[in-house]
Amino acid sequence: MSAWSCPHDLDGVCQRVNGARCDPGMRGCVLEGKVRFARDEMNRERKPVKASPPPPSEEKPKEPPRPVRRLPF
């Protein structure tokens, strides 16, 4: 058994098929038609599914930049 990681997968979103949820073997994927999966439903032609937007982060708002302090010389 081996593991594989797609270089186009970024947090579950495919960078090759813009905005699609990463699903190995879907239409437009680098694996489409090149590999055979163990599960039969993975071998069927599948359309890309739009990825859901990430949950809103609860980060602190950025503070405005502090003024530059000038030295007296």
Side-chain angles (χ1 to χ4, degrees):
M1 182 173 265
S2 65
W4 179 82
S5 177
C6 181
H8 303 289
D9 179 16
L10 181 64
D11 296 328
V13 179
C14 182
Q15 301 301 301
R16 184 175 169 99
V17 182
N18 294 335
R21 186 179 67 214
C22 185
D23 187 16
M26 70 179 168
R27 189 175 356 167
C29 179
V30 294
L31 298 178
E32 180 187 16
K34 294 181 182 178
V35 297
R36 186 119 177 107
F37 295 99
R39 294 187 337 200
D40 285 333
E41 64 265 8
M42 296 289 287
N43 292 320
R44 296 188 189 121
E45 185 175 327
R46 291 167 283 138
K47 291 183 179 179
V49 177
K50 186 172 181 160
S52 59
S57 62
E58 295 182 19
E59 295 179 6
K60 295 179 183 178
K62 292 184 179 179
E63 295 179 14
R66 298 173 78 184
V68 178
R69 189 171 164 200
R70 307 254 180 206
L71 298 176
F73 50 78

